Structure formats: C-alpha cells, structure tokens
Amino acid sequence: TEAAEAESYSVPLSGNMKNRKSIQEPRFDYYNHELPDIDLSECEFPHVIEIYDFPQEFRTEDLLRIFCSYQKKGFDIKWVDDTHALGVFSSPIAARDALGIKHTMVKIRPLSQATRAAKAKARACAEFLQPAKERPETSAALARRLVISALGVRSRQSKTEREAELRKLQEARERKRLEAKQREDIWEGRDQSVV
C-alpha cells in the first residue's frame, strides 16, 4: 500500500484544461519592501535632539555628564539603542544651543536628521517627550507635621520659623492660583490688563 500511495503522489495532475486558471504575478514585492522614511518636520519636536555614535559602554550618567549644564533648566535622556539616544530639553532654544556642543565621544544632530529608529522612537514615545520641566519648589512642613503628630512629640521649630514657612506656603498657593487664572483667561480670551 505504501508503494501505491507514493505512486499516486508522483502522478501529474490532469484534468479539464478549460477550467485551469493562469497564475498571477503578485502586486507587491514583499521581499524587497522598504519602509517609508518617517517624516518629522523641524517644528514637531524642536526640543529633542539625537545623540549618537557614542561607545556602547556609555550609561545614562555618562550622557548626563556631557549635558550637565542643561540639567538645572530641564534635560532628560530617552534611549533608542546602545549607541543612539534622544536628548529632551526644556525648550527649543536650549536644544538649538546644545547642537553647538563639540564633544569627542558623542555626535549630535536635530531629530529631523536622525536615524529611522530614533524617529520611530520619538513617534512612539511622543507623550513622554514633552519638554523637561524643573522640579517645583518643595517644603518639608507637611512631612514634619505628619511625623511629629505620628510620634506624638513636640516640634522644636520656633513660632517665627513656623509662621515664615506658613507664609511661604500661602505665597506659593497664591502664585499657583494666579497662574491657573491667567491660563484660563488666555484660553477664554479675556483681557489680561484687568488682572
């Protein structure tokens, strides 16, 4: 029976030649398919640059050290691969300024001239590539109050120090409230000179 099965497989197919259809050539050549270049305009991410051609051994700290003068204003790194990273600045002006940095270990270029992988990473992480912002000013007053009340001890802070801290917090709240009002006024188109 095995010999009969093998023979049945080797017999060429024959049949009505009228019903036979011709083989079509494929419309698309999938073997030579090229991905379209990701088009990022200059104005899409002007605060982001590509950092490239640095040693694979580099870590985030090494890149942060190169751009240390921008850290206080706001600077962050997003990795693309071992030798490419995105530098996220607080403003387009800071990014443009950083493009002028000359360093022996890294190269820098605008995101519009970046590699396909860097552009794809920028597109995929668009919500995380917002301009880096400075950390807001903080106060230890709330933490101190919570710890003191939890431990049931008395504060060693003088009354004038407590009042100064409270004033500082109230000023910060007022500043935040004013900024929110100004944003709302701008959004609603209200006159700013009245404020």
Side-chain angles (χ1 to χ4, degrees):
T1 60
E2 286 179 25
E5 266 183 49
E7 195 174 302
S8 69
Y9 287 121
S10 63
V11 175
L13 296 176
S14 62
N16 189 354
M17 296 299 272
K18 291 179 185 174
N19 292 337
R20 194 168 158 188
K21 294 185 179 178
S22 64
I23 298 174
Q24 289 183 347
E25 289 295 318
R27 280 195 215 165
F28 304 105
D29 184 5
Y30 293 103
Y31 291 110
N32 295 322
H33 179 68
E34 288 186 19
L35 292 172
D37 194 24
I38 298 170
D39 183 34
L40 287 177
S41 66
E42 294 275 339
C43 61
E44 201 163 346
F45 294 108
H47 62 285
V48 180
I49 63 171
E50 182 187 29
I51 307 164
Y52 66 103
D53 266 0
F54 48 84
Q56 287 184 342
E57 297 80 33
F58 262 38
R59 296 186 318 241
T60 305
E61 299 84 44
D62 300 319
L63 293 177
L64 288 174
R65 206 170 297 122
I66 292 169
F67 295 97
C68 63
S69 60
Y70 297 96
Q71 280 186 298
K72 286 188 178 180
K73 298 174 192 164
F75 173 72
D76 195 17
I77 301 239
K78 300 288 181 206
W79 285 92
V80 177
D81 59 35
D82 290 344
T83 59
H84 291 80
L86 299 176
V88 184
F89 292 86
S90 59
S91 71
I93 295 167
R96 221 171 321 147
D97 184 41
L99 286 171
I101 290 177
K102 301 290 182 218
H103 198 276
T104 56
M105 302 295 276
V106 300
K107 293 181 182 174
I108 306 163
R109 63 182 160 211
L111 190 59
S112 60
Q113 299 170 11
T115 60
R116 181 189 311 255
K119 289 178 182 180
K121 175 80 173 192
R123 274 280 159 84
C125 302
E127 63 190 61
F128 301 112
L129 292 181
Q130 298 308 314
K133 293 182 181 174
E134 278 186 64
R135 184 166 183 227
E137 198 175 315
T138 58
S139 170
L142 177 62
R144 189 179 307 109
R145 241 189 346 246
L146 290 172
V147 169
I148 287 173
S149 65
L151 296 176
V153 294
R154 240 188 125 141
S155 173
R156 287 188 249 159
Q157 194 177 29
S158 72
K159 186 175 181 178
T160 55
E161 289 173 326
R162 268 196 313 270
E163 287 173 352
E165 207 168 61
L166 188 64
R167 233 179 292 112
K168 188 177 174 184
L169 286 172
Q170 286 173 341
E171 287 170 4
R173 275 191 210 109
E174 182 62 25
R175 219 178 14 252
K176 192 174 179 180
R177 189 192 66 74
L178 257 175
E179 288 171 1
K181 185 176 179 347
Q182 287 174 344
R183 269 195 307 273
E184 184 181 333
D185 288 346
I186 290 169
W187 184 255
E188 297 295 326
R190 295 185 198 129
D191 188 15
Q192 293 289 307
S193 60
V194 179
V195 178

